[in-house]
């Protein structure tokens, strides 16, 4: 159990988790606690608090797009500044029986050098220093839950706390300087993380289901890849293997481009895979109002202008963009980092 004590208010660093049960933050192991007694102590501490938080105090001084996002499944804390992801910090979060709470919150307090009070023995008070389980920074965001340092850095990257978010000391001190009271905090549990890398390639990760609450299917992954326009470029067998491995390692799929033909932006994307740019055959033909004839046995597609080799990705036909002029009598290319015309 871990409690932090405000100088005047004697506030407790622990919380009741409404969704998953009772959870406590940043405590040493091996302490037997009467939960009912502690809950009563919490209620008394809140009732006697001398510092009240008003709604206006939770509004950031400048709404500049700064926010904290925490994914419990990959044990990562993302910092967004001016709407751009600038930092990814490793964390430790709540163990299976004391899961960290998911939801939308705001930073409600910040404190340097917090004091820890042992709830099993209130006379056991640990002031700021190397033996303090809370480290040297506290960023509260949900009742008694908070983001803080730790005197057990080996726990980072694991499910070790009783609800709070632990960080390496240098990381939490860096984060502390970048956020303020009122900064939004979003806590979620996503085993599949899908995003674009710096060069625009869609990449996805699958993490173990530590909370045993989020099964994944090939259909789900395909649906999410479809949102990026690259579902045809990752086979179902590869997705199955990825789900089974749940290793948290990146899988790079392909790079999508918005595709514009004769001024019309198509629903389907142009896609770059292994250095080749692919164009969707039927969608191109429809946009050009041009009939096409496919010979699957020969692996060819034909129009009145010529022929091209077809590439079948999960029963969707593509051609190499280099052959677009020969088969469709058009030319063009990459217009920007995310579009082809």
């Amino acid at each position: 159990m871990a409690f932090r004590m405000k100088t005047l208010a004697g506030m407790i660093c622990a919380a009741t988790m409404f969704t998953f049960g009772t959870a406590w933050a940043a405590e040493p192991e091996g302490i037997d606690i009467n939960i009912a007694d502690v809950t009563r102590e919490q209620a008394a501490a809140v009732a006697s608090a001398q510092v009240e938080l008003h709604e206006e105090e939770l509004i950031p001084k400048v709404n500049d797009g700064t926010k904290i996002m925490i994914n419990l499944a990959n044990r990562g804390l993302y910092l967004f500044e001016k709407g751009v992801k600038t930092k990814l910090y490793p964390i430790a979060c709540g163990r299976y029986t004391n899961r960290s709470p998911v939801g939308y919150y705001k930073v409600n307090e910040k404190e340097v050098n917090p004091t820890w009070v042992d709830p099993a023995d209130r006379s056991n008070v640990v002031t700021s220093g190397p033996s303090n389980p809370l480290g040297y920074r506290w960023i509260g965001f949900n009742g008694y839950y908070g983001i803080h340092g730790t005197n057990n850095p080996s726990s980072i990257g694991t499910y070790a706390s009783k609800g709070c978010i632990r960080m390496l000391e240098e990381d939490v001190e860096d984060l502390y300087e970048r956020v303020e009271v009122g900064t939004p905090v979003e806590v979620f549990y996503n085993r599949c993380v899908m995003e674009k890398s710096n060069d625009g390639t869609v990449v996805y990760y699958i993490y173990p289901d530590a909370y045993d609450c989020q099964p994944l299917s090939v259909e789900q992954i395909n649906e999410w890849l479809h949102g990026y326009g690259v579902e045809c470029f990752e086979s179902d067998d590869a997705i199955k293997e990825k789900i089974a491995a749940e290793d948290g390692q990146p899988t790079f799929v392909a790079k999508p481009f918005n595709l514009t033909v004769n001024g019309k932006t198509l629903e389907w994307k142009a896609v770059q895979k292994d250095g080749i740019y692919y164009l969707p055959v039927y969608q191109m033909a429809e946009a050009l109002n041009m009939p096409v004839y496919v010979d699957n046995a020969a692996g060819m597609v034909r129009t009145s202008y010529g022929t091209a080799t077809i590439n079948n990705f999960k029963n969707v036909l593509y051609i190499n963009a280099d052959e677009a002029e020969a088969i469709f009598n058009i030319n063009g290319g990459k217009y920007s980092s995310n579009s082809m015309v």
Side-chain angles (χ1 to χ4, degrees):
M1 284 274 205
F3 279 72
R4 52 178 290 281
M5 181 173 65
K6 296 179 70 72
T7 303
L8 296 177
M11 294 293 288
I12 304 172
C13 168
T16 299
M17 182 187 292
F18 295 106
T19 304
F20 299 114
T22 303
W24 309 96
E27 66 295 345
E29 304 286 348
I31 299 176
D32 293 326
I33 299 169
N34 186 320
I35 297 299
D37 291 341
V38 173
T39 303
R40 285 193 291 271
E41 290 181 359
Q42 289 179 335
V46 173
S48 63
Q50 298 180 27
V51 179
E52 294 184 3
L53 288 175
H54 299 285
E55 185 64 28
E56 60 269 20
E57 295 176 357
L58 301 182
I59 301 175
K61 296 175 183 177
V62 178
N63 185 11
D64 62 355
T66 298
K67 67 176 178 179
I68 294 170
M69 297 184 68
I70 299 169
N71 187 355
L72 304 176
N74 75 349
R75 286 136 292 155
L77 185 152
Y78 303 82
L79 175 66
F80 287 77
E81 297 175 290
K82 296 183 179 180
V84 177
K85 183 173 67 176
T86 58
K87 292 284 187 176
L88 170 58
Y89 305 98
I91 61 171
C93 46
R95 65 194 70 164
Y96 183 85
T97 53
N98 302 105
R99 306 175 190 186
S100 300
V102 298
Y104 297 90
Y105 311 102
K106 290 182 179 180
V107 172
N108 56 30
E109 61 178 344
K110 296 172 61 181
E111 187 173 349
V112 176
N113 300 329
T115 296
W116 180 81
V117 179
D118 185 347
D121 179 4
R122 298 300 298 276
S123 64
N124 180 17
V125 177
V126 180
T127 57
S128 180
S131 60
N132 190 314
L134 302 180
Y136 298 92
R137 296 292 186 275
W138 168 267
I139 304 170
F141 67 86
N142 174 27
Y144 304 104
Y145 288 105
I147 302 163
H148 59 76
T150 180
N151 63 348
N152 181 17
S154 64
S155 68
I156 301 301
T158 70
Y159 296 89
S161 79
K162 287 193 174 178
C164 278
I165 305 301
R166 299 179 187 175
M167 299 180 67
L168 294 171
E169 190 58 40
E170 59 268 27
D171 288 345
V172 74
E173 291 185 17
D174 180 63
L175 178 66
Y176 190 93
E177 298 302 320
R178 296 171 182 269
V179 301
E180 59 181 322
V181 170
T183 295
V185 179
E186 179 181 348
V187 186
F188 55 94
Y189 184 86
N190 282 352
R191 289 182 62 206
C192 179
V193 174
M194 196 172 292
E195 59 187 6
K196 286 187 176 181
S197 63
N198 290 336
D199 73 348
T201 300
V202 176
V203 56
Y204 73 108
Y205 312 73
I206 294 181
Y207 297 91
D209 194 2
Y211 285 172
D212 198 24
C213 66
Q214 192 181 79
L216 294 174
S217 68
V218 172
E219 291 73 22
Q220 287 175 311
I221 305 303
N222 273 322
E223 182 179 351
W224 297 331
L225 289 171
H226 176 75
Y228 287 94
V230 298
E231 74 276 16
C232 297
F233 292 82
E234 181 77 344
S235 72
D236 288 351
D237 287 341
I239 294 174
K240 288 178 184 177
E241 292 177 4
K242 184 73 175 175
I243 293 174
E246 55 180 27
D247 56 9
Q249 296 302 307
T251 294
F252 294 88
V253 180
K255 182 177 180 178
F257 294 85
N258 295 322
L259 179 59
T260 301
V261 178
N262 285 352
K264 178 183 178 181
T265 299
L266 307 190
E267 179 181 354
W268 286 74
K269 309 280 189 181
V271 177
Q272 181 188 26
K273 176 77 171 180
D274 298 328
I276 299 174
Y277 292 90
Y278 293 98
L279 305 177
V281 172
Y282 287 120
Q283 289 71 30
M284 292 282 294
E286 182 180 358
L288 294 167
N289 194 27
M290 184 180 300
V292 295
Y293 307 92
V294 175
D295 185 341
N296 286 305
M300 303 294 292
V301 59
R302 176 173 57 87
T303 70
S304 58
Y305 291 103
T307 61
T309 302
I310 57 173
N311 301 270
N312 190 324
F313 296 103
K314 292 169 80 168
N315 296 320
V316 178
L317 302 184
Y318 289 82
I319 61 167
N320 189 320
D322 291 342
E323 299 187 72
E325 185 171 2
I327 188 175
F328 290 124
N329 194 33
I330 59 173
N331 56 47
K334 190 169 70 169
Y335 178 73
S336 67
S337 61
N338 66 353
S339 66
M340 293 188 72
V341 176

